[in-house]
Amino acid sequence: MISIALPKGRLGEKVYRLLAESGYACSDYTPENRKLVFSDEKSGVRYFWVKPADVAKYVELGAADAGVAGKDILTEYAPDVYEMLDLNMGKCRMCVAAKNDYREDTFRPVKVATKFVNTARAYYAAKGRDAEIIKLHGSIELAPLLGLSDVIVDIVETGTTLKENDLKVFETISEISTRFIVNKASYRFKGGEIDAVLEKLKEKTECSDRKDTAKR
Ligand code: PRP
């Protein structure tokens, strides 16, 4: 049996549906349920619902054989796992954003509010720009509005949160999507089972890619 950590929430539900359609459904699964563990002997799979930011930790430490995590989290925490497949879901961008009328003062360090402190630090270090990083846990967009920071480094999906708060993107740091990750020791011992899941997922994601391309 292989165990898979899924991110709690809309994206996790979507990934579960993909896995279920790939032959890894759980008979006792219901979306409204608050149960955190589901398993199915016949499919040979057990799922855990985990906070999205914690999935990589569960997989790295071997509490789950595999999991589904955003590239934002993988870049930020650099867990020691195998990143096996881009699921082409949960697409968004890591960006530097600020108030619409922001003008950078290059004579002093830029104040940056973010949840992604390592990502922000690496980005400004690569540019050779002094930055004061302020770690927040959510509602990052408030920081420049209240003068806590000059800019934010955060995820932008639709851009609605920025727009509704009179902020805009100044730079794009990277493109983000959801990845299927695997614990290194699990892959040694259960490589066959894990490869079988990956093959099925690849077929499904390529198929939905083709549908997307056809729609465009
Ligand atoms: C994320 C991100 C932005 C928002 C971007 O926040 O931190 O606030 O989504 O999405 P949009 O471009 O579609 O508006 P999340 O919902 O995770 O909440 P939090 O960071 O405030 O906790």
Side-chain angles (χ1 to χ4, degrees):
M1 177 160 284
I2 60 169
S3 55
I4 303 177
L6 293 175
K8 243 195 250 177
R10 217 157 16 104
L11 180 66
E13 304 281 346
K14 205 170 154 191
V15 175
Y16 171 76
R17 279 201 301 277
L18 185 73
L19 283 154
E21 285 165 15
S22 305
Y24 298 96
C26 275
S27 45
D28 58 346
Y29 170 83
T30 44
E32 313 78 47
N33 207 314
R34 293 186 71 84
K35 223 166 114 99
L36 297 173
V37 183
F38 292 91
S39 56
D40 194 294
E41 287 286 330
K42 219 162 94 225
S43 309
V45 72
R46 171 179 298 133
Y47 294 107
F48 310 134
W49 290 114
V50 172
K51 271 262 185 212
D54 292 338
V55 168
K57 182 105 311 165
Y58 276 80
V59 176
E60 181 180 28
L61 299 179
D65 296 315
V68 169
K71 186 67 182 171
D72 51 336
I73 301 292
L74 300 176
T75 304
E76 177 65 17
Y77 299 108
D80 190 18
V81 296
Y82 293 131
E83 191 183 311
M84 306 293 267
L85 182 66
D86 185 344
L87 294 176
N88 277 316
M89 289 177 173
K91 289 195 178 176
C92 52
R93 294 181 289 157
M94 184 66 72
C95 293
V96 177
K99 287 204 275 190
N100 288 333
D101 60 0
Y102 172 64
R103 293 278 172 277
E104 186 173 356
D105 176 356
T106 51
F107 291 101
R108 61 171 181 79
V110 59
K111 282 191 196 168
V112 185
T114 188
K115 275 193 274 196
F116 301 93
V117 288
N118 297 325
T119 305
R121 201 168 285 127
Y123 176 69
Y124 284 102
K127 279 170 63 125
R129 176 78 170 100
D130 280 338
E132 185 188 318
I133 312 290
I134 302 161
K135 162 104 188 183
L136 296 178
H137 293 91
S139 300
I140 314 293
E141 290 83 1
L142 254 184
L145 298 180
L146 301 184
L148 181 68
S149 73
D150 300 311
V151 302
I152 61 173
V153 165
D154 201 14
I155 283 166
V156 178
E157 192 181 350
T158 61
T160 312
T161 313
L162 291 182
K163 201 158 166 240
E164 290 190 355
N165 290 291
D166 299 320
L167 303 168
K168 69 173 186 187
V169 170
F170 279 77
E171 288 151 76
T172 296
I173 299 178
S174 59
E175 303 290 332
I176 310 283
S177 60
T178 305
R179 311 295 162 99
F180 192 84
I181 57 173
V182 173
N183 172 272
K184 290 189 168 176
S186 298
Y187 196 59
R188 230 178 8 254
F189 296 113
K190 303 183 185 177
E193 288 167 72
I194 293 169
D195 279 342
V197 176
L198 281 164
E199 275 313 307
K200 289 271 174 50
L201 284 176
K202 248 185 240 166
E203 279 168 29
K204 287 275 168 198
T205 49
E206 276 162 17
C207 175
S208 69
D209 255 5
R210 278 200 295 275
K211 265 192 231 152
D212 278 357
T213 317
K215 262 190 244 158
R216 261 183 248 137

